[in-house]
Structure formats: structure tokens, C-alpha cells
Amino acid sequence: MFTSSLPAEQQRELAERLTTFLSQYSHVSDSYIIEFFSKDHWQSLPNTWQPVLQDLTYRQVADLLLDATQGDRRYPSVWPLSLLAFRATAHALAFPRECRRERGGAVGSVKPEEFLDNQSQSSLLGHIFRKHVKPKKQHEIRKLGSLVKQLCDQTDCNKVVDVGSGQNCSSLGPVSRSSPRHVAGWVNPKASWEAFIKQLSAAQCVNERPPTPPGPSKKRPRASEQVEPPCPHAVQTSRRRGSTDSPESESTSQHQFRKSRSEGPSSANCCSCVQGLRQEGAGPERGHPDFVLTGLHACGDLSATLLRHFVHCPHVRAITSVACCYMKITTKEHPNPPGLVPAAQPPDQDADPSEFGYPMSSWVGGLPGHRLSYKAREGACHAVEDYARRLREGGEALRTHCYRATLETFIADTRPDLRRAGIQTTKKAHLLPFTEYARLGLARVGLPPGLPLDPQRVEAMLEQQGRVVVYFSLALLLAPVVETLVLLDRMIYLQENGVDSQLVPLFDPNFSPRNFVLVALKSQVH
């Protein structure tokens, strides 16, 4: 029978340790690397740390700080016990990220063995699941699809609802015996699970048509491609919290629904079908088939919403949740994180101020020091393995943080209201002289490109590039700890609601940084 990977008591004890440790070093996790000079971050470190860290080579930073698996550590000087304890505690508290290697794959390799023969195509997937899919997503589809198939077998479910994925993510190759049905619609985190089931039921009515046969299809002439919008009744939900108008956010929250007029029922038939369901008096939530719920990198609050639906909806038998974009999670302190549009409150549902994306559990919410800032959660999305690899490779690309921090001092001095301004990434910025980088960056925040820059001051800051890299690495060392607390909070939430769960490092972290899958299933009488 399915059992939790951690007993309930150990989960709560770990949460206490995590909040205690993170609150002690919140000044590091909450800091912005672009303010390294303007806020003098280096001086915020203990005096005993500064001399032993400032002269480390990039490889030593990777081996001595970031790499938890490094066995033979050789220190160029004696490190203070407080620094050793900081590193050891960060590694010990974070959930292990290494996944089980398949077929003897090489440890530390950037790509899994399935891509050794062809760097862009998995040798373990058929063509239909590789077409227009990037290698990283192929790896995730294959691994998650196999896991979902196991859950379907254990729960005797033959339906899977995949929320929060784009065009190809919902294929889940090993699960699908026919082409998946795609439904466009927003999942409102404030809506009830009954509203979610109604949305699924209406969508199933819309999609009752012969499945598209597998294999390549001929592209129709552009003039004949007439797309009919889906029935408004079938996808009528309020816009989800955290949605934006960017294509990237749409790809993480919206399924794509495409249907030519010759391939399916008209919108009139669709509406009459949905209205027929309502007129029968038996809501779609009654008699709806059981299913497995899955979300591959469901953004922000969407992952938390799916977990709540899993807990409360009797038709959801199991869930696999892969989270991402922790900075877009709502909290009591920041109910509307930067760049997010609040979801409309359903008219038939009272607002529940406790249902934020973090914390979800009563236990974590009651711990002192449990709060996680926007910056700490944004840092948890960074890839530790990737940065460690870049440090070992060296190269000029590592100077970018120092460039941006140097530029920030002049921006803050000239226009304090523009501090932390978002500057569009300059292509190959590390190859530019700083004067050219500054000219481009100043123009992008609306300042004169020819703003006078003290060359001696610039040179003094650029000489501290090594310190900038070390400080960024210290903050990055805390990233897996923050992620552990967010995910552990969700495990405790499930446990508080009588459901055991496991956190599985399913994907290769060198290839897919957000590699944890939260897995849970309910007994039929739950």
C-alpha cells in the first residue's frame, strides 16, 4: 500500500528546522545580487567568513560550497566553524535532488543517456511524442507519463486530467492510447472543486468526437484553416490568479483547444449538450468518472489549487504535482505578487483569506519564521547544478552579475525610484566592455546613455567580481532549502487532510532543475 516517505512527526520536525535555519539567514536569501554594491552585501557577511571566501577560485566555490556530493574537499585555508555549519546544514535540510540513474548513465552528465545518440531526440520515445518537443520536455513527458500510468493501474482509473501544460506536455505518451482532448480554460484558484468538475464535464461534452488517428498529418492550406472558438459554456471560468497576457504564462496555464468546423459539433450543439446536462438536475459532479490529476510545472498557485481539488474532490483518486515559479505563489504578506492579475471571486463563494499558495498547512503557518519573501521564493527557482557546472567551466559569462550590480549603483544614485528596474537581457553582455553595457542598460531604463560614470569607481567594483560570484553562490546554496520548505508544507497539508504523499526526484536535475514530483493517492472510500 502507498505510504509516506516521511512519517508525520518527522515532517513537522523538519519544518521547524527549516524555518529556524532560513529565518537566521534571511538577509542572504532576501537580498538582490544587483544591489551587491549599492547595499554593500559583502559587509553583511560575518567578519570571519570574508577573508576565506574572497580569494576562492570559481571551481573551489562549486566544490566547497554548492556540491553536496563532493567527497574530497580540500580547503585553501582554515574555514570558521560557522561557515562549515552553514554549508552542512543547508545540504542536510534540503531534499536530495539526485534521481536514480537509468541504464548506468554517467553521473554529472548534462543530458540523460537517452540523448546520447541524438542530442535533440530521446531514444526512448516514439516520433509522435518528440515532434516539436524540446529535449528537456521529452525527458519529463517520458518519466512523468510512466509514473502516471502506474497510478492509473493502482487506482483502476482510465482517465487523466492534465492541467497547466502546453501543446505537447499533455500527451503523456505511456498513458495515452488515443489522442488527448485539449480544452482551453482558466483554472480559478478561488473556485470550488465542483466548478472544476463542471468545467471538465462540459469539456468532455464538447470533445465527444472520433479521436485523431496517430501519426503524421498533412498540413492544410492556410486559407482552409478555420478555427471555431470553443463554446463559452464549456470553458466558462474566471481568470486564474497569477495569469498574465504573455505567451509564456499562457503555455503554463492554458490547454489548447483547436477544432475545425468539419471535425466536430457546432457551438450550438455544444451549448445544447451542456444545457441538457444542467436541465437533468444531476450536476456534472455527480456520476463523474474517477480520474488521476497531474500538472507538469503548473505555475505558482496553480499547483496549490490542484492539491486542494485533489483533497476535496471525491473523483480525484491520485495526483502528481510538479511545481514551478514559486515567486508567483500568493502569501498573506503578498496576496498579489508582482506581475500577477488577481482572480475574480466567484459570486457564489465567500472569500477565504487562508487559502494562499503558501503556507498551505496549518502546522507551517503556525511556526515562527515561516514567512518566505518574494526574493527567497524566486531564488528557489534557480538551478544549482547548472551554476555549479558554469563555475567549473569558468569563462567570461560569470561577469554578468558584476556588470549589472555595478550599473545598479549609478542607476540608484541618479534615480532612486528606478532601483531594481527590470532591464531586458543584453545578448552576450559578458563580451561587451562595461561602458557599452552601461550605455545599453541606461537607455533601457530611460536614463541618458551618456550618463557620466566615474571610471575609477567602475574599475574598483569590477575588480570585486569574485566576491559577487561568491555571494550569489551563498544565496544559491539556500535555494534548495527554500524549495524544500515550500514542498514540505504541501506534504504536511496533505497529511493534515488524511492523505499520505511522497516527494520523488523524478527528473535529472542537471537537465530539468524543477525535478521534484509530489505524488499522492487516496483510497476509494476517502
Side-chain angles (χ1 to χ4, degrees):
M1 184 59 184
F2 187 87
T3 58
S4 175
S5 53
L6 273 180
E9 186 63 30
Q10 291 185 21
Q11 290 181 10
R12 293 192 289 268
E13 290 176 357
L14 177 57
E16 288 187 84
R17 296 192 185 103
L18 286 165
T19 53
T20 300
F21 177 68
L22 287 173
S23 60
Q24 182 178 353
Y25 292 100
S26 60
H27 64 283
V28 177
S29 60
D30 294 352
S31 60
Y32 289 79
I33 194 63
I34 65 174
E35 295 178 331
F36 180 84
F37 298 115
S38 60
K39 293 292 183 69
D40 202 5
H41 286 333
W42 187 255
Q43 293 304 318
S44 70
L45 298 178
N47 292 332
T48 55
W49 291 20
Q50 297 175 25
V52 300
L53 292 175
Q54 65 182 0
D55 295 325
L56 292 178
T57 65
Y58 293 152
R59 175 170 285 276
Q60 287 172 335
V61 173
D63 292 344
L64 301 181
L65 274 180
L66 296 183
D67 192 349
T69 64
Q70 186 72 20
D72 184 19
R73 293 191 177 99
R74 300 189 180 187
Y75 301 90
S77 59
V78 178
W79 281 23
L81 291 178
S82 59
L83 178 56
L84 293 171
F86 168 76
R87 184 203 61 204
T89 304
H91 287 317
L93 291 179
F95 284 135
R97 292 172 50 80
E98 285 298 319
C99 64
R100 181 174 58 85
R101 290 276 164 180
E102 295 179 322
R103 301 194 305 171
V107 176
S109 60
V110 178
K111 286 191 175 183
E113 188 175 348
E114 61 191 287
F115 295 97
L116 293 182
D117 295 334
N118 188 320
Q119 292 290 305
S120 61
Q121 294 189 0
S122 169
S123 60
L124 302 178
L125 281 179
H127 171 76
I128 190 173
F129 301 115
R130 300 194 307 254
K131 187 177 181 181
H132 305 308
V133 183
K134 294 182 179 180
K136 171 179 174 290
K137 195 60 65 178
Q138 292 178 37
H139 172 70
E140 294 165 350
I141 289 173
R142 182 182 67 82
K143 300 277 284 188
L144 186 61
S146 298
L147 177 59
V148 171
K149 177 62 167 61
Q150 293 177 30
L151 291 178
C152 288
D153 292 341
Q154 291 184 48
T155 57
D156 198 25
C157 290
N158 59 8
K159 291 187 180 294
V160 176
V161 175
D162 182 16
V163 181
S165 50
Q167 179 177 2
N168 294 97
C169 307
S170 59
S171 299
L172 290 176
V175 177
S176 301
R177 290 191 175 93
S178 62
S179 298
R181 291 163 174 160
H182 297 154
V183 181
W186 297 108
V187 177
N188 187 350
K190 295 184 178 181
S192 64
W193 67 264
E194 290 90 349
F196 180 62
I197 293 297
K198 287 180 180 179
Q199 183 181 9
L200 296 178
S201 300
Q204 182 174 353
C205 175
V206 172
N207 285 279
E208 287 298 338
R209 57 186 175 87
T212 304
S217 59
K218 295 181 179 179
K219 185 176 181 180
R220 296 192 186 98
R222 187 175 298 272
S224 66
E225 291 183 349
Q226 299 181 6
V227 179
E228 181 177 318
C231 165
H233 296 283
V235 295
Q236 187 176 8
T237 59
S238 301
R239 190 173 192 144
R240 71 177 179 89
R241 183 188 312 167
S243 63
T244 65
D245 292 330
S246 66
E248 181 179 355
S249 66
E250 289 184 7
S251 69
T252 60
S253 64
Q254 185 179 24
H255 289 249
Q256 299 186 357
F257 181 92
R258 292 176 179 170
K259 173 163 61 71
S260 69
R261 296 181 181 180
S262 62
E263 289 183 325
S266 65
S267 59
N269 292 337
C270 161
C271 295
S272 63
C273 180
V274 176
Q275 291 170 355
L277 281 174
R278 295 175 178 172
Q279 291 171 358
E280 290 175 3
E285 64 272 15
R286 300 180 188 175
H288 192 281
D290 290 350
F291 59 90
V292 173
L293 188 59
T294 185
L296 178 54
H297 294 147
C299 183
D301 270 7
L302 186 56
S303 290
T305 299
L306 297 182
L307 288 173
R308 288 192 172 100
H309 287 341
F310 164 70
V311 165
H312 298 296
C313 177
H315 304 295
V316 186
R317 295 289 312 285
I319 188 172
T320 63
S321 174
V322 186
C324 73
C325 301
Y326 301 121
M327 68 283 194
K328 295 183 180 180
I329 293 174
T330 57
T331 64
K332 182 179 180 181
E333 298 75 29
H334 300 286
N336 297 308
L340 302 189
V341 179
Q345 183 70 33
D348 59 345
Q349 184 177 349
D350 295 331
D352 186 352
S354 66
E355 290 203 346
F356 295 108
Y358 174 85
M360 293 185 67
S361 69
S362 299
W363 177 260
V364 172
L367 293 175
H370 74 271
R371 294 178 179 84
L372 294 175
S373 69
Y374 174 90
K375 184 62 185 69
R377 288 179 280 114
E378 187 273 335
C381 297
H382 287 229
V384 177
E385 293 82 6
D386 178 70
Y387 195 70
R389 177 180 55 81
R390 291 169 57 191
L391 287 171
R392 292 188 175 103
E393 293 175 352
E396 298 175 336
L398 294 169
R399 69 169 54 147
T400 305
H401 284 312
C402 189
Y403 268 20
R404 180 63 183 89
T406 302
L407 180 61
E408 180 69 11
T409 60
F410 295 103
I411 294 176
D413 289 347
T414 307
R415 287 278 303 276
D417 58 306
L418 292 179
R419 70 188 187 94
R420 300 180 188 171
I423 299 179
Q424 184 181 1
T425 303
T426 302
K427 188 176 182 179
K428 296 183 178 180
H430 59 282
L431 300 179
L432 300 175
F434 178 77
T435 52
E436 177 64 14
Y437 172 85
R439 185 185 69 81
L440 296 173
L442 290 170
R444 290 176 178 177
V445 297
L447 292 177
L451 186 73
L453 306 177
D454 183 351
Q456 291 184 341
R457 189 180 176 195
V458 169
E459 185 64 26
M461 286 187 283
L462 294 182
E463 287 178 353
Q464 299 183 58
Q465 177 180 323
R467 291 184 176 184
V468 176
V469 170
V470 167
Y471 190 87
F472 180 78
S473 300
L474 290 173
L476 192 60
L477 183 59
L478 295 174
V481 186
V482 174
E483 182 178 36
T484 295
L485 179 57
V486 172
L487 298 178
L488 179 64
D489 168 61
R490 296 177 179 184
M491 296 178 69
I492 296 176
Y493 165 78
L494 294 175
Q495 186 273 327
E496 289 175 346
N497 285 275
V499 180
D500 288 331
S501 63
Q502 288 185 359
L503 197 64
V504 182
L506 188 65
F507 311 134
D508 188 331
N510 296 286
F511 200 45
S512 180
R514 302 280 67 75
N515 70 325
F516 284 116
V517 182
L518 183 56
V519 186
L521 59 86
K522 297 182 295 190
S523 61
Q524 195 145 11
V525 295
H526 178 79

